[in-house]
Amino acid sequence: DVKVTQSSRYLVKRTGEKVFLECVQDMDHENMFWYRQDPGLGLRLIYFSYDVKMKEKGDIPEGYSVSREKKERFSLILESASTNQTSMYLCASSFLGLNYNEQFFGPGTRLTVL
Amino acid sequence: KNEVEQSPQNLTAQEGEFITINCSYSVGISALHWLQQHPGGGIVSLFMLSSGKKKHGRLIATINIQEKHSSLHITASHPRDSAVYICAVISFQKLVFGTGTRLLVSP
């Protein structure tokens, strides 16, 4: 079974703090994704990576950065957290291919920024 | 207007009822996902389909490419089916998500 794990299920941070969200997958997937999920808006892609040290902006990258130093790990960084970044954050991974490959999701991290 | 629209947004049912959730989309797609999200957040894939119909247990998914519409049916619903059901289309190798349908099945 594919396993995608995220470092925390719940996180509470203060405005201005630097926040790290970690995601690890154990299926040797090339692609990894970070989404945020907000009521009424669905999931929106923040960043994705198709290889170590490679990253691509998604639909809403502002206020976020990412790091992929190892194939199995993809980190989402909030350099200076703000209250509008309070959300559910979901990581996913998939194989790389010419066609779409099914994405497998982690359990999510619910982040509250006070 | 969202590229992927789901209806209804919220649905309550009694155990045993037949349930239908609808998904309409406005973009070109190569396939469509139905996903399930339980309280707590984790998302699992139920179906990925590009034509016709797929069945898994009590779940049935259909898609009509010409009409840009898909439905997810749950037969003999059970309280453990209570979850958010999300439609996501695969467009140019990216997932575009609907906002989800929250289903509550009461005993």
Side-chain angles (χ1 to χ4, degrees), chain B residues 66-87:
Chain B
Q66 286 73 29
E67 294 188 5
K68 296 191 171 183
H69 182 268
S70 176
S71 293
L72 176 68
H73 306 285
I74 305 175
T75 61
S77 60
H78 190 276
R80 65 174 173 266
D81 296 327
S82 298
V84 175
Y85 292 85
I86 301 169
C87 170

Side-chain angles (χ1 to χ4, degrees), chain A residues 9-10 35 37 40-45 48 58-59 88 90 97-108, chain B residues 2 9 30-31 33 35 37 39-46 48 84 86 90 93-100:
Chain A
R9 295 300 302 274
Y10 299 93
Y35 296 93
Q37 183 181 28
L41 296 176
L43 278 82
R44 293 177 291 166
L45 181 64
F48 68 98
D59 300 319
M88 169 71 91
L90 288 146
L98 290 176
N99 299 313
Y100 170 81
N101 287 301
E102 183 179 354
Q103 292 183 26
F104 295 87
F105 288 84
Chain B
N2 291 338
Q9 287 188 310
S30 55
H33 253 306
L35 306 164
Q37 186 175 30
I43 291 176
V44 296
S45 176
L46 299 173
M48 191 164 75
V84 175
I86 301 169
I90 298 147
Q93 296 200 35
K94 288 178 64 177
L95 280 178
V96 182
F97 295 85
T99 55

